[in-house]
Amino acid sequence: MSTINVMKSIAQAPIKFYRLFISPHKPPTCRFYPTCSAYGLEAIEKHGPFKGSCLTVKRISKCHPFHQGGIDYVPEPKPKNK
C-alpha cells in the first residue's frame, strides 16, 4: 500500500467512525446531497488527504440552519500541467 493510500485511509477514518457509531443515533439533519460524510469520503479519495480534508471542513462549515443547502458535489480535480 502506498504512502498516499495510507494517508487517505487515516484521513477517512474519523468519517467512517462517525458513520458507524454516531450517525445511526442521530436523526438525518444534513442539508446537502450528498451528505457531508459521503462528500468527505469522496473528496479525500479524489483530491488526496490534505486538499480533500480542507474541502470537507469547508463543506461541514456550511451545514447549518442559516445555509439553504442543496446539491453540492465534490469538484473534479484540475488537470495537472506537464
Side-chain angles (χ1 to χ4, degrees):
M1 187 182 254
S2 73
T3 304
I4 195 76
N5 288 336
V6 170
M7 291 170 43
K8 283 181 184 180
S9 294
I10 291 169
Q12 290 174 331
I15 299 169
K16 291 178 180 180
F17 177 87
Y18 168 80
R19 292 182 102 183
L20 278 172
F21 297 108
I22 297 172
S23 182
H25 302 289
K26 295 176 51 182
T29 57
C30 190
R31 308 179 65 76
F32 291 97
Y33 178 83
T35 64
C36 292
S37 59
Y39 182 98
L41 291 173
E42 184 179 348
I44 292 166
E45 194 60 40
K46 280 186 174 182
H47 293 278
F50 300 110
K51 184 169 182 179
S53 294
C54 290
L55 288 168
T56 303
V57 168
K58 182 178 175 184
R59 167 66 177 278
I60 291 170
S61 70
K62 295 189 290 186
C63 196
H64 56 78
F66 302 110
H67 194 283
Q68 70 184 42
I71 297 174
D72 181 23
Y73 295 113
V74 175
E76 291 299 319
K78 294 180 182 172
K80 295 181 180 180
N81 296 333
K82 291 186 176 184

